Amino acid sequence: MVITLKSRAEIKKMRSAGKIVAEILALLKERVAPGITSLELDGLAEAECKKYRARPAFKGYGGFPYCICASPNEKVVHGFPNSSPLDDGDFISIDFGVIYNGYYGDAALTIPVGTMSAEKQHLMDVTESSLRAAIEKAVVGNRISDISHAVQSTVEYEGYSVVREFVGHGIGKRLHEAPQIPNFGLPGQGPRLKAGMTLAIEPMINAGGPEIRILSDGWTAVTQDSRPSAHFEHTVAVTEDGPEILTVL
Ligand code: MG
């Protein structure tokens, strides 16, 4: 599949979409606390989209029924928001995207709920730093799997494991574009990175084994061993001046 390169004008539009995603995620993060439900967070995200005149990217995508993916604790990705209150000591991964002026932004983060265990904190920190390491590799002349390898080597060094079934992706006028960006692999493989590529890089990292299963709702991925999983994602533009994170405030 062809990887579309975006012009400066297109990247500018994606920056606007990305900023809205970042602002709404920051608001959700602020609201996360023991007692709130993920369904309330979903409602909040939908109301905010209206304010920004942006459309939630996930609602209706492939039949997904909500604005946010809400995946606490052992849930990996694609969790349905529900009405059970979050507990002190949980953490919750929220994945969220919008389409604005014809372009998508997509980001995710794992958020602590109240006071969290050292184990969860460390998994969260390592997953986020694997995303940072991956973004550093999103430079002209590198290859896609340099990004993949940066994630894998960062997290496996800490004894964590990479989910294989879901991958990052190109993004632009469509939510999922070429190329796929696995979070594992040897460096130096796959398409060469060019200025104008826009990539959603998204490590999904398990505290225990890499195996997952899908719940009967057909969407929610959970770890096979029920140990926690964390998820961080940014939409990033590859530019002549280096990687630019688009999903920032
Ligand atoms: Mg994504």
Side-chain angles (χ1 to χ4, degrees):
M1 270 220 293
V2 176
I3 302 173
T4 60
L5 300 181
K6 280 77 178 181
S7 66
R8 278 172 199 274
E10 287 182 292
I11 288 175
K12 193 176 172 194
K13 286 184 182 174
M14 290 188 68
R15 203 176 281 130
S16 307
K19 187 166 188 282
I20 294 170
V21 170
E23 284 183 1
I24 295 175
L25 277 175
L27 179 73
L28 297 181
K29 184 178 181 181
E30 220 177 85
R31 295 295 175 86
V32 165
I36 197 165
T37 72
S38 47
L39 208 50
E40 291 174 292
L41 296 171
D42 187 69
L44 192 61
E46 187 153 30
E48 286 296 306
C49 280
K50 289 204 178 87
K51 273 197 222 165
Y52 287 101
R53 299 180 189 281
R55 209 151 45 75
F58 303 163
K59 197 166 188 169
Y61 188 91
F64 188 82
Y66 298 96
C67 291
I68 63 170
C69 299
S71 311
N73 303 319
E74 79 286 357
K75 290 180 180 167
V76 179
V77 284
H78 303 160
F80 284 8
N82 64 32
S83 55
S84 59
L86 296 176
D87 275 329
D88 189 54
D90 287 345
F91 69 16
I92 182 167
S93 300
I94 297 181
D95 194 348
F96 175 68
V98 303
I99 178 166
Y100 182 70
N101 281 340
Y103 289 85
Y104 282 92
D106 185 6
L109 78 174
T110 301
I111 304 166
V113 183
T115 313
M116 219 170 44
S117 68
E119 187 203 28
K120 280 183 179 163
Q121 184 69 50
H122 192 246
L123 174 63
M124 227 180 74
D125 292 346
V126 170
T127 304
E128 190 171 17
S129 71
S130 78
L131 174 58
R132 279 199 301 271
I135 291 169
E136 279 175 23
K137 297 292 181 185
V139 297
V140 174
N142 273 356
R143 291 185 186 270
I144 286 293
S145 81
D146 294 327
I147 294 172
S148 313
H149 183 72
V151 172
Q152 184 176 20
S153 53
T154 302
V155 305
E156 288 187 351
Y157 179 79
E158 299 287 344
Y160 298 140
S161 58
V162 170
V163 172
R164 264 55 174 182
E165 286 82 352
F166 303 103
V167 296
H169 49 94
I171 180 169
K173 282 186 184 172
R174 288 180 300 135
L175 179 58
H176 294 115
E177 299 184 351
Q180 293 200 338
I181 311 169
N183 293 302
F184 59 94
L186 296 172
Q189 296 172 353
R192 216 174 266 288
L193 301 181
K194 292 181 183 160
M197 286 184 181
T198 43
L199 309 171
I201 303 172
E202 49 178 323
M204 290 149 266
I205 306 303
N206 295 349
E211 300 82 9
I212 61 148
R213 63 193 174 89
I214 306 293
L215 298 186
S216 58
D217 60 25
W219 281 97
T220 310
V222 300
T223 56
Q224 194 70 260
D225 58 13
S226 299
R227 293 188 62 195
S229 184
H231 181 204
F232 283 83
E233 177 180 23
H234 273 304
T235 298
V236 176
V238 179
T239 80
E240 293 293 354
D241 304 323
E244 179 189 348
I245 299 175
L246 301 176
T247 38
V248 285
L249 298 176

